[in-house]
Amino acid sequence: MRIRLDLGYDGTDFSGWAAQPGRRTVEGELTAALGTVLRLAEPPRLVVAGRTDAGVHARGQVVHVDVPVEAWQRVPGRSERPPERALVVRLRSVLAPDLVVHRATVAPPGFDARFAATSRRYAYRICDEPAALDPLRRHDTVVLDGPLDVVRMTGAATDLLGLRDFAAFCRRREGATTVRTLVAYTWSRDADGIVVGTVVADAFCHSMVRALVGAVVPVGLGRAPIDFPAAVLAARTRDPRVKVMPAHGLCLEEVTYPPDDELADRVRTARAVRTPPST
């Protein structure tokens, strides 16, 4: 049976999501914990909504895992908790404090944590007045000598919206498409004066969000014209003037899914090859 896990983690001490020999990763830690709690003979295979890089955080990560029915039924042990609650409690006892499973639920038919997702929302935090940084937020906020103009940054970001080929903002992978639909990209200041970027897309390729931030920051600093990011996008090749921003300022905030009766259609659509509109 398929189980959906909703989780969050502080990415500071993780070498990203994906399991790597000799390195501490979110996938590695969670796989080991599930194998222990469920008493599985073989490590379970996890499917994640979005693979985060080393140092990137998550509040709203989603994973699915297929487990034997009998393993699921014995999770409560002698307790009277339902398996959903019992799994969360037992995982908390074996996971380190920087990785927390918030919920475990039986997934509806057709659910796929990766391909059924309709959007991923990330936030990027920047403090542009170094003396004002809250030291308790140093692990999730990047410090820049500002000031940053959030109005100009949002104006530049808006030109990137839509179904596009984001090759200029991605690390290419053999056989992988760089076509994505950027749904929203805005910048604002929160109540503490921190500059926060919100980026929403149907999916992201490797390093895409941090490169999108790196393209807009020079505009906010007044070092590039407002059409600079759009020009980079149109060139469809990596531009050395676009710096991939530090990982620790980035957090996966939310993954969304369609209603249960639309999950299978969404999976088929997500697996289809996407092409940008002709220009």
Side-chain angles (χ1 to χ4, degrees):
M1 58 191 306
R2 179 159 294 184
I3 306 302
R4 169 177 169 167
L5 303 176
D6 291 76
L7 58 143
Y9 43 87
D10 177 343
T12 304
D13 295 327
F14 287 105
S15 295
W17 163 264
Q20 303 173 57
R23 292 183 177 272
R24 183 175 186 250
T25 67
V26 182
E27 183 180 26
E29 295 283 298
L30 186 56
T31 297
L34 285 166
T36 298
V37 169
L38 297 172
R39 290 182 285 169
L40 301 176
E42 298 291 335
R45 176 178 175 270
L46 308 183
V47 176
V48 67
R51 292 189 173 195
T52 50
D53 294 336
V56 176
H57 315 291
R59 284 195 182 90
Q61 183 67 278
V62 180
V63 171
H64 83 242
V65 57
D66 295 332
V67 303
V69 174
E70 59 272 18
W72 178 249
Q73 292 174 338
R74 65 173 177 251
V75 170
R78 297 180 180 178
S79 76
E80 296 183 358
R81 300 185 183 99
E84 293 86 349
R85 179 59 184 160
L87 182 59
V88 171
V89 171
R90 295 187 64 187
L91 285 173
R92 187 169 67 241
S93 69
V94 296
L95 290 171
D98 55 356
L99 171 54
V100 177
V101 174
H102 301 302
R103 287 175 298 280
T105 55
V106 176
F111 180 81
D112 185 294
R114 178 185 177 189
F115 289 108
T118 52
S119 72
R120 284 91 170 164
R121 175 169 61 88
Y122 282 87
Y124 198 91
R125 289 171 51 87
I126 302 174
C127 176
D128 60 350
E129 187 179 349
L133 177 67
D134 178 352
L136 300 182
R137 302 300 301 264
R138 68 190 184 280
H139 293 306
D140 72 349
T141 306
V142 171
V143 180
L144 293 178
D145 284 323
L148 289 167
D149 185 330
V150 296
V151 175
R152 279 176 55 85
M153 292 169 74
T154 295
T158 300
D159 290 338
L160 305 176
L161 299 181
L163 177 65
R164 309 290 190 95
D165 185 346
F166 286 93
F169 300 101
C170 298
R171 292 182 182 176
R172 287 189 178 274
R173 295 169 57 187
E174 188 68 28
T177 179
T178 52
V179 176
R180 299 290 189 271
T181 302
L182 189 60
V183 177
Y185 187 10
T186 60
W187 289 88
S188 61
R189 287 188 186 274
D190 67 12
D192 297 320
I194 299 299
V195 176
V196 181
T198 299
V199 191
V200 183
D202 59 344
F204 293 93
C205 47
H206 189 206
S207 82
M208 178 175 164
V209 181
R210 290 191 286 141
L212 288 171
V213 175
V216 169
V217 163
V219 176
L221 292 171
R223 299 172 184 170
I226 200 167
D227 62 353
F228 170 65
V232 172
L233 176 72
R236 297 185 181 180
T237 185
R238 296 299 289 264
D239 190 314
R241 294 172 295 174
V242 175
K243 307 301 181 184
V244 176
M245 296 292 287
H248 71 278
L250 186 61
C251 181
L252 174 58
E253 298 283 347
E254 181 186 32
V255 182
T256 63
Y257 295 91
D260 291 354
D261 61 353
E262 298 176 14
L263 288 168
D265 286 342
R266 174 57 191 169
V267 169
R268 284 191 291 270
T269 300
R271 289 181 179 275
V273 176
R274 287 169 287 186
T275 56
S278 57
T279 56

